[in-house]
Amino acid sequence: MAGGGAKGAFEAGAVSYLVEEEGIVPEVITATSAGAVCAVVLAQARGHRELVDRTRELRDDLLAMTRADLLFGKQPWVAALDGTPFGRAIDRWVVERTRPAVPGTRGGIPGGIAAAAPRRARPIRLAAQVARAIPKLGRARRSLDGRTGSLLTLDPLAERLRRGGRGIQPITPALVARPGVDLRLAVVALGAGVLRYVTEDGTIVEEDALTPAPGRAAGPVDVIDGVIASASVPMVFPPRLLAGEAYVDGGVVDNVPVAAAAALGARRIYALLAVPVAPPREEIDYTRASAPAVLLRAIGAISFAERQRANLSPPLPHGTELTVIDPVVDVVGPFDVSRGLMLVSMDYGWMRAADLCAEVGGSLRQRVAEATEAIVVARTQAWHLEEEIWSAGSPTAGALSALTRCKRVVRDALNERKELGLPTPHDATRWWSDYEVHEGARPWDLPSRPFEEHR
C-alpha cells in the first residue's frame, strides 16, 4: 500500500473490493506513509470476517479524517503567523495549492467553473507582510524552541490512532502483533541514511525486510509511532524519533514496497497505488515559473513518478504474480480534507480494482478502462461545479447545464460497465441521480435532483 496522503482513499476503495468481492485475506502487508495508516487498521484482523469489518472501519476512519484539526497541528512558528498574509498563504498551500487540477477541463468547464488549475497566489506585498508578521513571531519566540524545520505536526493523528474519538477507531497494537500477518511499514533513517521497516511487533528491520537493525536501533518501538514516522513527509512534518534515530516518510526511497512483500515470501502481490504512475502533463511555461513551482514539478512529480516505477520493478522470484492497481485520474490532493472528493476517490479505487481483476483483455479491457475513467472525470467535474454552486448560494443556468452533462456522462458510462459485465458499488445510481457530498445545506433554489429535472 503506497503513500500519497489523502489520496490513500483510492487504496481504501481498492481494498474494499479485493476483500469483500474477491475474498482476499493477506498474509503479508507492506506499506508506506498514507498506506501505513491504512495498513495498521487492516493488520488488526485475522481471517476474512474480521478483515471485512476492518475494511469498513478503515473507510469510516478515513471519512472521519476530513477535518484538518483531527490530523494536523501547526508548528508554533506557523501558528504565530495566523491572521497574516504569510499564514493564509501557508493554509492555502497545504490544501488548495496541492489539490490537482480538475481533470479534463483545459480552459474550465463550459458554463461552470474555470478551475483547470489550482488558484493562483495573489501578488505579495512583501514589506507590508513582513511588518505585520514580525511582531507575531516576536511574541511567539519563546514557544518556537527551534522547531522551524516543518510546517505541521502529526501529533493529532497519533492521538486519534491511540485513543480514538471523533469517528476514528483506536488501534490496538496487541492485535497487530498477533501471529498470522507480517507487517512492514517503510521508514527512512535520516542519520544512518538507510531504508528500514517497522514490523507488526515494533521491531525495526533493515532494507531486506528481515534483518533487525543493529543494537538499540532495532527497538522495539510503538507500532503507532512507526505509522507516524512512515507518514512524516519531510519539511511538512517533523522527523519522528524511533529507538534513538530520527525517521521520515518511507516514500523518500520506497513508496510502493513490493520488494519487501516478496522478501517475506508473498508470491501473489497486489500493489495499491494512490498517485498515478505517470505525472499528468502541465501546460505551464516553466522558464517563467517560480523556483518552488519548478522544484515541486521536478522533485515532487517527475522524480516521484520515476521512484514509483522503480519500486514496481524489483527482481522478483520466479512465479511471483504482481497486480498493480493504480489511479489514472488524479482526484484529491495529498492534504485535502474534502469528504466529497474522498468518496469519489474511494469509489474509483473500488472500480479500478474490479477492472484490473476482471478476466477481460484486448480492446474489451480498454473499453472498461475508458468507462471507469469517464465516470471519475465526470464525477470530479460535477463535485467542483457543485462546490461553486454551494459557495455562490444560487445556481446559474450555465452551471446547471454543465452539471447535467456531467451526470449524463456518469449514467451512460455506468450503463457501459453493466453491458460489459463489470460490477459497480451498490449505490452507483446515486452518482448521477443525486449531488455529490458537500459541507453545508443545499442552496434553497437548487433543484432537489440534478439530472432528471434539467435534462
Side-chain angles (χ1 to χ4, degrees):
M1 303 185 74
K7 296 173 186 288
F10 176 92
E11 298 175 83
V15 165
S16 178
Y17 175 82
L18 294 175
V19 171
E20 298 187 34
E21 305 300 326
E22 297 286 331
I24 290 172
V25 180
E27 298 172 11
V28 172
I29 305 176
T30 63
T32 301
S33 198
V37 177
C38 298
V40 76
V41 176
L42 302 176
Q44 296 175 100
R46 299 294 182 271
H48 187 254
R49 183 64 259 167
E50 284 188 19
L51 190 58
V52 168
D53 290 342
R54 293 298 181 182
T55 298
R56 294 172 181 173
E57 178 183 310
L58 173 60
R59 175 185 169 90
D60 292 342
D61 284 349
L62 293 181
L63 292 176
M65 292 178 186
T66 51
R67 279 189 51 183
D69 62 323
L70 298 183
L71 302 176
F72 317 131
K74 291 182 178 180
Q75 291 287 24
W77 75 272
V78 177
L81 293 171
D82 282 350
T84 71
F86 281 149
R88 288 191 291 272
I90 290 172
D91 291 342
R92 282 198 305 271
W93 181 84
V94 169
V95 176
E96 294 179 19
R97 300 300 298 277
T98 58
R99 179 179 284 168
V102 183
T105 59
R106 292 181 64 185
I109 300 175
I113 59 173
R119 295 180 184 177
R120 296 181 181 273
R122 292 179 180 177
I124 296 176
R125 294 179 175 85
L126 189 59
Q129 292 194 14
V130 170
R132 270 189 278 176
I134 285 177
K136 291 201 170 193
L137 281 172
R139 288 193 294 272
R141 64 184 181 275
R142 292 182 181 177
S143 65
L144 292 180
D145 196 26
R147 295 189 296 270
T148 56
S150 67
L151 298 173
L152 308 173
T153 169
L154 283 171
D155 290 346
L157 175 59
E159 180 69 10
R160 290 287 169 261
L161 293 179
R162 285 196 172 90
R163 303 183 187 280
R166 309 292 283 273
I168 299 172
Q169 297 302 311
I171 301 298
T172 304
L175 294 180
V176 178
R178 288 180 297 166
V181 172
D182 290 324
L183 177 68
R184 296 294 185 272
L185 308 177
V187 291
V188 171
L190 288 178
V194 296
L195 170 69
R196 290 177 176 154
Y197 300 92
V198 177
T199 73
E200 67 279 357
D201 65 2
T203 302
I204 300 177
V205 297
E206 297 285 17
E207 187 171 355
D208 65 2
L210 298 168
T211 306
R216 178 173 172 246
V221 300
D222 184 336
V223 73
I224 294 173
D225 283 333
V227 172
I228 299 302
S230 185
S232 293
V233 179
M235 293 181 64
V236 180
F237 305 113
R240 198 78 172 183
L241 198 63
L242 302 176
E245 179 96 44
Y247 286 88
V248 294
D249 193 327
V252 170
V253 176
D254 192 15
N255 198 58
V256 197
V258 171
L264 292 166
R267 294 297 173 262
R268 184 184 179 195
I269 301 173
Y270 292 87
L272 310 185
L273 275 62
V275 180
V277 173
R281 179 174 177 80
E282 288 192 354
E283 301 297 335
I284 295 174
D285 181 0
Y286 278 102
T287 65
R288 297 174 177 269
S290 67
V294 173
L295 181 67
L296 284 172
R297 180 61 176 171
I299 304 300
I302 299 171
S303 293
F304 182 82
E306 287 299 320
R307 187 159 65 252
Q308 285 208 132
R309 280 192 279 267
N311 294 159
L312 290 168
S313 306
L316 296 175
H318 179 72
T320 301
E321 178 185 338
L322 174 63
T323 301
V324 179
I325 300 175
D326 59 324
V328 177
V329 181
D330 214 0
V331 175
V332 67
F335 305 111
D336 213 327
V337 288
S338 302
R339 183 181 177 92
L341 285 179
M342 288 185 71
L343 283 165
V344 173
S345 188
M346 284 182 181
D347 292 335
Y348 183 21
W350 195 101
M351 289 189 296
R352 186 78 170 136
D355 297 351
L356 292 167
C357 290
E359 296 182 357
V360 297
S363 60
L364 189 58
R365 181 169 291 280
Q366 181 62 29
R367 284 180 61 194
V368 168
E370 289 172 355
T372 298
E373 184 173 340
I375 291 169
V376 176
V377 168
R379 285 190 69 191
T380 306
Q381 290 178 356
W383 184 88
H384 283 274
L385 274 166
E386 293 167 10
E387 191 74 359
E388 290 286 316
I389 293 170
W390 253 250
S391 298
S394 182
T396 66
L400 287 176
S401 177
L403 185 57
T404 297
R405 288 195 291 273
C406 290
K407 299 297 184 180
R408 184 178 290 115
V409 169
V410 174
R411 181 200 62 186
D412 293 347
L414 282 170
N415 287 335
E416 174 84 354
R417 284 181 63 88
K418 184 176 180 180
E419 291 172 6
L420 295 171
L422 271 294
T424 53
H426 66 88
D427 63 343
T429 300
R430 182 192 59 78
W431 300 349
W432 62 266
S433 67
D434 207 342
Y435 297 103
E436 299 293 342
V437 173
H438 303 273
E439 294 294 325
R442 175 172 57 86
W444 69 270
D445 57 347
L446 193 64
S448 60
R449 301 290 240 180
F451 183 73
E452 293 190 330
E453 294 186 26
H454 284 270
R455 54 187 168 183

